[in-house]
Amino acid sequence: MTKICTRCLLKDFNKEQYEAIVTNGLSSLPKEDLTGSDITEKRLAVCRDCDKLNQGTCLACGCFVEIRASLKKGKCPYDLWK
Ligand code: SF4
């Protein structure tokens, strides 16, 4: 049985998928579209405390939060990243 990991980011439980989805996905985007790592980490800290986070995805919008939080135009659907 696969353990469900709530309040986890993808990098916390599946390094292969993290590399394939997040690292590769972000590497294909223009650098000017990405936030600095400090902003991304602040956003992800909010996600980690959010009950909508489930195995690296946001149950409110279905995104991989590590990708959304890395985008300058990325927004939390509940506007919790202020
Ligand atoms: S993007 Fe917003 S609603 Fe979704 S998990 Fe993060 S803080 Fe929660």
Side-chain angles (χ1 to χ4, degrees):
M1 176 185 289
T2 302
K3 184 178 177 198
I4 302 296
C5 187
T6 57
R7 309 286 174 91
C8 284
L9 301 174
L10 194 55
K11 67 182 173 186
D12 296 331
F13 68 95
N14 193 325
K15 300 281 185 204
E16 286 182 9
Q17 279 195 348
Y18 177 80
E19 291 292 327
I21 295 171
V22 179
T23 304
N24 290 343
L26 293 176
S27 70
S28 69
L29 297 174
K31 296 279 183 255
E32 59 268 23
D33 289 352
L34 304 178
T35 65
S37 61
D38 53 336
I39 292 173
T40 300
E41 290 307 317
K42 283 180 184 170
R43 289 174 171 181
L44 292 177
V46 175
C47 292
R48 283 183 184 278
D49 285 337
C50 179
D51 62 6
K52 299 293 184 200
L53 182 64
N54 184 7
Q55 300 197 91
T57 61
C58 173
L59 294 176
C61 65
C63 74
F64 285 101
V65 294
E66 288 149 298
I67 292 179
R68 185 177 287 245
S70 299
L71 300 172
K72 285 182 180 173
K73 290 184 178 177
K75 299 226 181 291
C76 164
Y78 288 107
D79 205 20
L80 299 176
W81 290 345
K82 297 175 185 168

